[in-house]
């Protein structure tokens, strides 16, 4: 949405990003594999897991951040088109059925005859 | 009026998640009396399966790059105005995630992502989606005239509507390319991609090392399942990242999820609690995963898994 509002290209769920001057090389997962994309100039990117190592802030950084000014910007314009009507809990899970480890093979029969998934 | 469905394709076929979105739209159209127009970028063979799942028309934008969200948005937007459509459906997969929100901003309309059920139109228009990592279900209402729904893969399921779609080329102008594709790496394999898999065998740290994955793969092969893993396993590099299921990895909803040597931390459950049947194998009878399981085996994976493989082989032989 941000990309559309500011009129920039958008790449979703990137797993790798390399910047070389004005050109960005981005890797992204697609159906059954991945693809490498190239974008010139500004763009909006959403990152998937694995793109970067997390950096844990050190104590000095945390203390320094406390004294930084905090600018609160009020939201502007835009009407809301959706709203949550209510929340409900998912249906309760039935009891777990235990199978003796000695007869683990029985599971396959149960999955076929009772659960009907294989 | 028509419902416009954007789908992506690989190797000439519409992806399963896309067919599911078409199927969802066709089920919606049955009650509203609309028709379903599917649209895709690139190329597909024939109607790519769109007709069988309920689309009456398939538009193919051959010159449009499916990875270019700007071009795809332009194309879908043009089709929406040509068709006078007010309902837009996509899959909530990586391609849908690039297009659906853009389109919502362009059309200034309401969007719900990760939709898990058909809309309720008895009072207004509401759909259900999973929230709080699947711990609750929210009913969301859309009030704008145009509406966009991004369907959570494997939540609606596929059933044939029987029919064929009239295929035509989309010849509009999608605008200049903003992204160029340098390379596409699609693994040549017969294994179903994880987000689409109906049967999944997953293993965790309980396997003790990557060298022990052979039996997991063997069990998966016998069952015709796809393999997956927990986060610690992909973090320490035993398995590739794309196999990681959980809150920060892939969220899946297979018919059967077999978890071996995974304790079932809340972050892992968030990615799999939509599975229809869950089997847990763990040495620790107190593992939290058993609370979410349909079937449990308390035992050592190194003893249990070979028994499962033998039973699966016998079962396959008897089929």
């Amino acid at each position: 949405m941000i990309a559309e509002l500011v009129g920039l290209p958008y790449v979703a769920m990137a797993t790798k990003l390399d910047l070389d001057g004005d050109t960005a090389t981005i890797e992204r997962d697609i159906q059954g594999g991945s693809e490498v994309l190239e974008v010139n100039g500004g763009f909006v990117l959403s990152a998937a897991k694995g793109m970067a190592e997390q950096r844990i802030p050190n104590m000095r950084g945390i203390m320094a951040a406390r004294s930084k000014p905090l600018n609160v910007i009020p939201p502007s314009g835009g009407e809301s088109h959706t709203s949550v009507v209510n929340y409900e809990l998912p249906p309760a899970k039935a009891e777990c059925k235990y199978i003796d480890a000695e007869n683990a093979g029985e599971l396959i029969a149960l999955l076929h005859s009772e659960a009907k998934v294989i | 009026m028509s419902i416009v469905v954007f789908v992506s394709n690989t190797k000439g076929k519409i992806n399963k998640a896309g067919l599911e979105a078409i199927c969802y739209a066709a089920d919606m159209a049955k009650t509203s009396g609309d028709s379903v127009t599917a649209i895709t970028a690139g190329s597909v063979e024939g109607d790519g399966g769109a007709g069988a799942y309920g689309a009456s028309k398939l538009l193919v934008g051959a010159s449009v790059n499916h990875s270019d969200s700007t071009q795809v948005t332009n194309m879908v937007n043009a089709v929406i105005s040509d068709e006078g459509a007010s309902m837009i459906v996509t899959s909530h997969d990586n391609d849908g995630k690039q297009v659906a929100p853009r389109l919502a901003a362009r059309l200034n309309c309401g969007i719900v992502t990760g939709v898990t059920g058909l809309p309720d139109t008895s009072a207004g228009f509401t759909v259900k989606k999973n929230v709080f990592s699947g711990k609750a279900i929210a009913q969301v209402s859309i009030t704008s005239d145009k509406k966009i729904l991004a369907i959570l893969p494997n939540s609606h399921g596929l059933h044939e509507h029987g029919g064929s779609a009239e295929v035509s080329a989309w010849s509009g102008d999608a605008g200049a390319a903003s992204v160029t594709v340098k390379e596409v790496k699609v693994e040549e394999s017969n294994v179903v991609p994880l987000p689409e898999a109906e049967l999944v065998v997953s293993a965790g740290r309980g396997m003790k090392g990557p060298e022990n994955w052979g039996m997991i793969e063997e069990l998966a092969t016998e069952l015709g399942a796809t393999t997956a893993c927990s986060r610690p396993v992909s973090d320490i590099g035993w398995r590739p990242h794309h196999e990681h299921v959980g809150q920060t990895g892939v969220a899946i909803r297979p018919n059967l999820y077999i978890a071996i040597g995974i304790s079932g931390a809340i972050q892992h459950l968030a990615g799999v609690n939509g599975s229809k049947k869950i089997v847990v194998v763990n040495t620790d009878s107190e593992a939290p995963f058993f609370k979410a399981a349909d079937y449990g085996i308390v035992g050592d994976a190194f003893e249990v898994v070979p028994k499962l493989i033998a039973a699966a082989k016998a079962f396959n032989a008897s089929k």
Side-chain angles (χ1 to χ4, degrees):
Chain A
M1 274 192 200
I2 294 169
E4 180 64 29
L5 294 172
V6 295
L8 286 175
Y10 169 52
V11 178
M13 310 305 279
T15 50
K16 206 172 162 194
L17 171 69
D18 283 315
L19 279 174
D20 179 17
D22 230 9
T23 309
T25 310
I26 301 163
E27 210 171 301
R28 148 177 198 263
D29 282 350
I30 52 164
Q31 194 73 37
S34 62
E35 64 182 6
V36 181
L37 304 170
E38 204 174 271
V39 187
N40 288 308
F43 59 91
V44 178
L45 180 95
S46 70
K49 186 182 162 269
M51 189 164 127
E53 281 288 317
Q54 285 135 331
R55 266 187 309 199
I56 297 162
N58 59 22
M59 211 47 189
R60 215 176 130 223
I62 296 169
M63 296 309 276
R66 290 170 77 166
S67 60
K68 298 276 188 231
L70 186 67
N71 279 337
V72 180
I73 303 164
S76 64
E79 43 178 331
S80 171
H81 297 297
T82 56
S83 59
V84 174
V85 182
N86 75 324
Y87 292 104
E88 55 193 68
L89 289 171
K93 200 97 193 172
E95 275 291 286
C96 176
K97 189 168 185 171
Y98 286 94
I99 296 148
D100 188 15
E102 290 301 311
N103 306 315
E106 278 176 19
L107 174 73
I108 303 293
L110 280 172
L111 289 176
H112 176 65
S113 59
E114 194 178 272
K116 298 198 174 11
V117 285
I118 55 171
Chain B
M1 282 235 283
S2 60
I3 302 174
V4 168
V5 187
F6 166 69
V7 295
S8 48
N9 60 73
T10 321
K11 291 187 218 156
K13 289 201 178 72
I14 294 175
N15 297 338
K16 188 182 157 205
L19 293 175
E20 195 181 359
I22 291 175
C23 196
Y24 179 95
D27 284 337
M28 230 162 73
K30 253 196 279 183
T31 42
S32 64
D34 294 324
S35 63
V36 176
T37 300
I39 177 153
T40 192
S43 66
V44 286
E45 289 164 29
D47 73 357
Y53 293 102
S56 57
K57 245 199 296 189
L58 174 72
L59 296 168
V60 183
S63 62
V64 178
N65 172 3
H66 81 101
S67 297
D68 191 328
S69 63
T70 316
Q71 281 196 332
V72 174
T73 306
N74 290 341
M75 172 176 75
V76 179
N77 188 40
V79 173
I80 292 164
S81 62
D82 288 348
E83 300 267 327
S86 61
M87 182 64 64
I88 301 102
V89 177
T90 71
S91 174
H92 193 49
D93 60 4
N94 277 3
D95 280 342
K97 279 177 192 165
Q98 286 200 147
V99 176
R102 268 207 107 109
L103 212 50
R106 175 92 48 105
L107 298 167
N108 189 23
C109 72
I111 176 172
V112 180
T113 58
V115 173
T116 54
L118 285 166
D120 178 357
T121 51
S122 55
F125 184 99
T126 58
V127 282
K128 285 183 178 173
K129 71 176 285 186
N130 289 348
V131 288
F132 307 130
S133 310
K135 295 226 120 194
I137 299 164
Q139 221 178 337
V140 188
S141 120
I142 308 183
T143 48
S144 57
D145 286 343
K146 286 195 169 66
K147 299 170 181 70
I148 301 177
L149 303 177
I151 315 302
L152 193 69
N154 273 0
S155 66
H156 185 65
L158 278 176
H159 51 262
E160 299 215 2
H161 286 255
S164 62
E166 177 199 326
V167 184
S168 47
W170 182 77
S171 51
D173 179 17
S178 62
V179 173
T180 38
V181 179
K182 287 281 148 192
E183 195 186 343
V184 179
K185 301 175 215 167
V186 175
E187 283 151 36
E188 291 295 331
S189 74
N190 299 324
V191 177
V192 187
L194 197 48
E196 294 188 350
E198 285 175 0
L199 305 172
V200 174
V201 176
S202 183
R205 251 185 316 191
M207 295 309 294
K208 299 192 169 72
E211 67 279 5
N212 298 326
W213 241 262
M215 61 168 106
I216 299 298
E217 280 167 354
E218 193 180 349
L219 178 61
T221 310
E222 289 302 328
L223 293 172
T226 305
T227 55
C229 68
S230 63
R231 174 161 185 170
V233 166
S234 71
D235 276 357
I236 43 183
W238 290 358
R239 301 295 291 176
H241 274 300
H242 67 80
E243 276 201 4
H244 158 214
V245 290
Q247 186 157 27
T248 51
V250 188
I252 53 170
R253 303 171 67 88
N255 289 339
L256 173 64
Y257 183 75
I258 302 183
I260 298 161
I262 301 176
S263 65
I266 183 79
Q267 291 84 353
H268 183 75
L269 288 178
V272 301
N273 56 12
S275 309
K276 291 177 190 69
K277 293 286 171 196
I278 295 178
V279 175
V280 173
V281 178
N282 208 301
T283 46
D284 178 7
S285 62
E286 297 296 312
F289 218 154
F290 284 115
K291 289 201 175 66
D294 296 284
Y295 298 97
I297 300 176
V298 180
D300 188 347
F302 295 95
E303 286 163 23
V304 172
V305 177
K307 287 187 181 136
L308 292 179
I309 294 170
K313 276 191 176 144
F315 172 73
N316 284 341
S318 69
K319 260 202 289 199

